[in-house]
Amino acid sequence: IDKVLKCCIEKYPPKKGKHSHIIQATLRIGVAQLLFLQTPPFAANKETVQVLRMYPTNPPVPEPMIKFVNGVLRKLSRPSSADNNETEEEEAELVGQVLLREKTSPRDNIAPWLLKRWRKDWGEEKTNLMCKEIMPPDDSLATSRIDLSTKYSLGHVSGADGNEELQSLMSNLGEDSILLPQGSIRVGLSLKGDVKSWPEYDDGTWWVQDASSTLPA
């Protein structure tokens, strides 16, 4: 987030002053909403500006600073191509998204001291892999998915009967569902809507349970 802000602000972080920490915090919040939470640009900009206007400081945050924050967020939330018409504008990539993709890397989110330790313990190649896993370049890999435990999961792990039923259940839950090593099913993005409407919910065949909670400590 800070690297994106540095690309469009001549002096960042803001000079130390009474309100500098507030300005930096609100800029970060606004960018997080725009680039990571998929908040509509208008809402992200408006809410961030409102926070500054309502922040209980004495004296209050000066109006020029509020306008500065608004200007930065509006710049980042503009479509990256000036040639887009109004219909295309809603789907166009934002300036901030372009900066995030082209000017940042997964390493920007790792503390320098930790990177140094990883390089020492694991080497450069494995360090790069760990950084990529923490911050996947593909948005779909970072999308939250639901894990399901099933009444067939234990049989899958032990090698007993139930694999056919498990495979059949996975097919019903969507072709992009993934069978995890411990027998849980990670539901793909193709299955949407209320979980109560998903196949075999009423039969009690599966229940929502994060895969991490099924692993022995």
Side-chain angles (χ1 to χ4, degrees), residues 101-119:
R101 184 183 68 250
E102 297 181 353
K103 302 296 184 180
T104 70
S105 73
R107 288 173 175 257
D108 296 327
N109 295 294
I110 312 296
W113 65 266
L114 185 56
L115 280 174
K116 184 178 180 180
R117 179 173 295 180
W118 283 356
R119 290 194 197 97

Side-chain angles (χ1 to χ4, degrees), residues 114-168:
L114 185 56
L115 280 174
K116 184 178 180 180
R117 179 173 295 180
W118 283 356
R119 290 194 197 97
K120 179 181 178 181
D121 293 344
W122 302 101
E124 190 69 27
E125 184 177 353
K126 289 185 177 179
T127 296
N128 290 336
L129 288 174
M130 288 190 285
C131 291
K132 289 179 181 178
E133 285 296 318
I134 290 173
M135 199 76 174
D138 183 356
D139 289 341
S140 65
L141 298 178
T143 303
S144 298
R145 301 187 183 187
I146 293 179
D147 297 336
L148 307 178
S149 289
T150 80
K151 62 183 183 182
Y152 310 121
S153 298
L154 184 59
H156 170 75
V157 175
S158 64
D161 294 336
N163 281 337
E164 291 184 7
E165 290 86 348
L166 195 56
Q167 292 297 331
S168 175

Side-chain angles (χ1 to χ4, degrees), residues 66-82:
I66 296 176
K67 290 182 178 180
F68 167 74
V69 170
N70 183 52
V72 171
L73 296 179
R74 285 175 64 86
K75 179 179 180 179
L76 291 173
S77 60
R78 287 202 304 263
S80 57
S81 174

Side-chain angles (χ1 to χ4, degrees), residues 73-103:
L73 296 179
R74 285 175 64 86
K75 179 179 180 179
L76 291 173
S77 60
R78 287 202 304 263
S80 57
S81 174
D83 297 329
N84 289 319
N85 58 36
E86 291 183 2
T87 304
E88 296 172 335
E89 197 169 286
E90 295 180 357
E91 301 179 358
E93 193 173 32
L94 305 181
V95 170
Q97 293 170 327
V98 174
L99 292 174
L100 182 67
R101 184 183 68 250
E102 297 181 353
K103 302 296 184 180

